[in-house]
Coordinates of all heavy atoms in Angstrom, one line a residue:
A1 N 0.8 -1.2 0.0 CA 0.0 0.0 0.0 C 0.9 1.3 0.0 O 0.5 2.2 -0.7 CB -0.9 0.0 1.2
C2 N 1.9 1.2 0.7 CA 2.8 2.4 0.8 C 3.6 2.7 -0.5 O 4.1 3.8 -0.7 CB 3.7 2.3 2.0 SG 2.9 2.5 3.6
R3 N 3.7 1.7 -1.3 CA 4.3 1.8 -2.6 C 3.5 2.6 -3.6 O 4.0 3.0 -4.6 CB 4.7 0.5 -3.2 CG 5.9 -0.2 -2.4 CD 6.3 -1.4 -3.1 NE 7.4 -2.1 -2.4 CZ 7.5 -3.4 -2.2 NH1 6.7 -4.2 -2.7 NH2 8.5 -3.8 -1.5
V4 N 2.2 2.6 -3.4 CA 1.3 3.3 -4.4 C 1.4 4.8 -4.1 O 1.0 5.3 -3.0 CB -0.2 2.8 -4.2 CG1 -1.1 3.5 -5.2 CG2 -0.2 1.3 -4.5
P5 N 1.8 5.6 -5.0 CA 2.0 7.0 -4.8 C 0.7 7.7 -4.5 O -0.3 7.5 -5.1 CB 2.6 7.6 -6.1 CG 3.1 6.4 -6.8 CD 2.3 5.2 -6.4
D6 N 0.8 8.6 -3.4 CA -0.3 9.5 -3.1 C -1.6 8.8 -2.7 O -2.7 9.4 -2.9 CB -0.6 10.5 -4.2 CG 0.7 11.3 -4.6 OD1 1.5 11.6 -3.7 OD2 0.8 11.6 -5.8
A7 N -1.6 7.6 -2.2 CA -2.8 6.9 -2.0 C -3.5 7.3 -0.7 O -2.9 7.8 0.3 CB -2.5 5.4 -2.0
V8 N -4.8 7.1 -0.7 CA -5.6 7.1 0.6 C -5.6 5.6 1.0 O -6.1 4.7 0.2 CB -7.0 7.6 0.4 CG1 -7.8 7.5 1.7 CG2 -6.9 9.1 0.0
V9 N -5.1 5.3 2.2 CA -5.0 3.9 2.6 C -5.9 3.7 3.9 O -5.8 4.4 4.9 CB -3.5 3.6 3.0 CG1 -3.4 2.2 3.5 CG2 -2.6 3.8 1.8
A10 N -6.8 2.7 3.8 CA -7.6 2.2 4.9 C -6.9 1.0 5.5 O -6.7 0.0 4.8 CB -9.0 1.9 4.5
T11 N -6.6 1.1 6.8 CA -6.0 -0.1 7.4 C -7.0 -1.0 8.1 O -8.2 -0.5 8.2 CB -5.0 0.4 8.5 OG1 -5.7 0.9 9.6 CG2 -3.9 1.3 8.0
G12 N -6.6 -2.1 8.5 CA -7.5 -3.0 9.3 C -7.5 -2.4 10.7 O -6.6 -1.6 11.1
G13 N -8.4 -2.8 11.5 CA -8.5 -2.3 12.9 C -7.3 -2.6 13.8 O -7.0 -1.8 14.7
G14 N -6.6 -3.7 13.5 CA -5.4 -4.0 14.3 C -4.1 -3.8 13.7 O -3.1 -4.1 14.2
T15 N -4.1 -3.2 12.5 CA -2.9 -2.9 11.7 C -1.8 -2.2 12.5 O -0.6 -2.5 12.5 CB -3.2 -2.2 10.4 OG1 -4.1 -2.9 9.7 CG2 -1.9 -2.0 9.6
M16 N -2.3 -1.2 13.3 CA -1.4 -0.3 14.0 C -0.8 -1.0 15.2 O 0.1 -0.4 15.9 CB -2.1 1.0 14.4 CG -2.5 1.8 13.2 SD -1.2 2.5 12.3 CE -0.6 3.8 13.4
L17 N -1.2 -2.1 15.6 CA -0.6 -2.8 16.7 C 0.8 -3.3 16.5 O 1.6 -3.4 17.4 CB -1.5 -4.1 17.1 CG -2.9 -3.8 17.7 CD1 -3.7 -5.1 17.8 CD2 -2.8 -3.1 19.0
D18 N 1.1 -3.4 15.2 CA 2.5 -3.9 14.8 C 3.4 -2.7 14.7 O 3.1 -1.7 13.9 CB 2.4 -4.6 13.5 CG 3.7 -5.1 13.0 OD1 4.1 -6.3 13.4 OD2 4.4 -4.4 12.2
A19 N 4.5 -2.7 15.4 CA 5.4 -1.5 15.4 C 6.0 -1.2 14.0 O 6.1 -0.1 13.6 CB 6.6 -1.8 16.4
E20 N 6.3 -2.3 13.2 CA 6.8 -2.1 11.8 C 5.7 -1.4 11.0 O 6.0 -0.4 10.2 CB 7.1 -3.4 11.2 CG 7.7 -3.3 9.8 CD 8.1 -4.7 9.2 OE1 8.5 -5.6 10.0 OE2 7.9 -4.8 8.0
N21 N 4.4 -1.8 11.1 CA 3.4 -1.1 10.4 C 3.2 0.3 10.8 O 3.1 1.2 10.0 CB 2.0 -1.8 10.6 CG 2.0 -3.2 9.9 OD1 2.7 -3.5 9.0 ND2 1.0 -4.0 10.4
R22 N 3.3 0.6 12.1 CA 3.2 2.0 12.6 C 4.3 2.8 12.0 O 4.0 4.0 11.6 CB 3.2 2.0 14.1 CG 2.0 1.6 14.8 CD 2.0 2.0 16.3 NE 3.2 1.6 17.1 CZ 3.3 0.4 17.6 NH1 2.4 -0.5 17.6 NH2 4.4 0.1 18.3
R23 N 5.5 2.4 12.1 CA 6.6 3.1 11.5 C 6.4 3.4 10.0 O 6.6 4.6 9.6 CB 7.9 2.4 11.8 CG 9.2 3.1 11.3 CD 10.4 2.2 11.2 NE 10.3 1.0 10.4 CZ 10.2 1.0 9.1 NH1 10.3 2.1 8.4 NH2 10.1 -0.2 8.4
R24 N 6.1 2.4 9.3 CA 6.0 2.5 7.8 C 4.8 3.5 7.5 O 5.0 4.4 6.6 CB 5.7 1.2 7.2 CG 5.8 1.2 5.7 CD 5.7 -0.2 5.1 NE 6.6 -1.2 5.6 CZ 7.9 -1.3 5.3 NH1 8.4 -0.4 4.4 NH2 8.7 -2.2 5.8
L25 N 3.7 3.3 8.2 CA 2.5 4.2 7.9 C 2.8 5.6 8.3 O 2.4 6.6 7.6 CB 1.3 3.6 8.5 CG 0.8 2.3 7.9 CD1 -0.2 1.6 8.8 CD2 0.3 2.5 6.5
A26 N 3.4 5.8 9.5 CA 3.7 7.2 9.9 C 4.6 7.9 9.0 O 4.5 9.1 8.8 CB 4.3 7.1 11.3
A27 N 5.6 7.2 8.4 CA 6.5 7.8 7.4 C 5.8 8.1 6.1 O 6.2 9.0 5.3 CB 7.7 6.8 7.1
A28 N 4.7 7.4 5.8 CA 4.0 7.6 4.5 C 3.1 8.9 4.5 O 2.9 9.4 3.4 CB 3.1 6.4 4.2
G29 N 2.6 9.3 5.7 CA 1.7 10.5 5.7 C 0.9 10.6 7.0 O 1.1 9.7 7.9
P30 N 0.1 11.6 7.1 CA -0.7 11.7 8.3 C -1.7 10.5 8.5 O -2.2 10.0 7.6 CB -1.5 13.0 8.0 CG -1.6 13.1 6.6 CD -0.3 12.5 6.0
I31 N -1.8 10.2 9.8 CA -2.7 9.0 10.1 C -3.9 9.6 10.8 O -3.7 10.3 11.9 CB -1.9 8.0 11.1 CG1 -0.7 7.5 10.3 CG2 -2.9 6.9 11.5 CD1 0.2 6.6 11.2
V32 N -5.1 9.3 10.3 CA -6.3 9.8 10.9 C -7.0 8.6 11.5 O -7.3 7.6 10.8 CB -7.2 10.5 9.9 CG1 -8.5 11.0 10.5 CG2 -6.5 11.6 9.2
C33 N -7.3 8.6 12.8 CA -8.0 7.6 13.5 C -9.5 7.9 13.5 O -9.9 9.0 14.0 CB -7.4 7.4 14.9 SG -8.3 6.1 15.8
L34 N -10.3 7.0 13.0 CA -11.7 7.2 13.0 C -12.2 6.4 14.3 O -11.8 5.2 14.5 CB -12.4 6.6 11.8 CG -11.9 7.2 10.4 CD1 -12.7 6.6 9.3 CD2 -12.0 8.7 10.5
A35 N -12.9 7.1 15.1 CA -13.3 6.5 16.4 C -14.8 6.5 16.6 O -15.5 7.3 15.9 CB -12.6 7.3 17.5
A36 N -15.3 5.7 17.5 CA -16.7 5.6 17.9 C -16.8 4.9 19.2 O -15.9 4.1 19.5 CB -17.5 4.9 16.8
P37 N -17.8 5.2 20.0 CA -18.0 4.5 21.3 C -18.3 3.0 21.0 O -18.8 2.7 20.0 CB -19.1 5.2 21.9 CG -19.4 6.5 21.2 CD -18.8 6.3 19.8
A38 N -18.0 2.2 22.0 CA -18.2 0.8 21.9 C -19.7 0.4 21.6 O -19.9 -0.5 20.7 CB -17.8 0.1 23.2
E39 N -20.6 1.1 22.1 CA -22.0 0.8 21.9 C -22.4 1.1 20.4 O -23.2 0.4 19.8 CB -22.9 1.7 22.8 CG -22.8 1.3 24.3 CD -21.5 1.9 24.9 OE1 -20.8 2.8 24.3 OE2 -21.2 1.5 26.1
E40 N -21.8 2.2 19.9 CA -22.0 2.5 18.4 C -21.4 1.5 17.5 O -22.0 1.1 16.5 CB -21.4 3.9 18.1 CG -21.5 4.3 16.7 CD -22.9 4.7 16.3 OE1 -23.9 4.8 17.1 OE2 -23.1 5.0 15.1
I41 N -20.2 1.0 17.9 CA -19.5 0.0 17.1 C -20.4 -1.3 17.1 O -20.6 -1.9 16.1 CB -18.1 -0.3 17.7 CG1 -17.2 0.9 17.3 CG2 -17.5 -1.6 17.1 CD1 -15.9 1.0 18.1
L42 N -20.9 -1.7 18.3 CA -21.7 -2.9 18.4 C -23.0 -2.7 17.5 O -23.3 -3.7 16.8 CB -22.2 -3.1 19.8 CG -23.1 -4.3 20.1 CD1 -22.4 -5.6 19.7 CD2 -23.6 -4.4 21.5
R43 N -23.6 -1.6 17.5 CA -24.8 -1.3 16.7 C -24.4 -1.5 15.2 O -25.1 -2.1 14.4 CB -25.3 0.0 17.0 CG -26.6 0.3 16.2 CD -27.1 1.8 16.4 NE -26.2 2.7 15.7 CZ -26.1 2.9 14.4 NH1 -26.8 2.2 13.6 NH2 -25.3 3.8 13.9
R44 N -23.2 -1.0 14.8 CA -22.8 -1.0 13.4 C -22.5 -2.5 13.0 O -22.8 -2.8 11.8 CB -21.6 -0.1 13.2 CG -22.0 1.4 13.3 CD -20.8 2.2 13.1 NE -21.0 3.6 13.3 CZ -20.1 4.6 13.3 NH1 -18.8 4.3 13.0 NH2 -20.4 5.8 13.5
V45 N -21.8 -3.2 13.8 CA -21.4 -4.6 13.4 C -22.6 -5.5 13.5 O -22.6 -6.5 12.8 CB -20.2 -5.2 14.2 CG1 -19.0 -4.3 13.9 CG2 -20.5 -5.4 15.6

């Protein structure tokens, strides 16, 4: 994903748990975390 120039990249929910992924993604561009309360997530899933 980081090899594709200028991309908008959606990660999986646990992608950032891996230090290598965090480093690579942080170097690629700004990271925007989309958040919601647990009850809202339960409703959505």
Side-chain angles (χ1 to χ4, degrees):
C2 289
R3 287 185 182 142
V4 178
D6 304 327
V8 174
V9 178
T11 69
T15 304
M16 296 293 286
L17 294 171
D18 181 87
E20 182 181 326
N21 288 341
R22 284 194 308 273
R23 181 193 57 74
R24 189 174 307 281
L25 291 167
I31 299 172
V32 180
C33 181
L34 302 184
E39 296 77 12
E40 176 74 5
I41 290 167
L42 178 63
R43 185 187 66 72
R44 291 177 185 177
V45 298

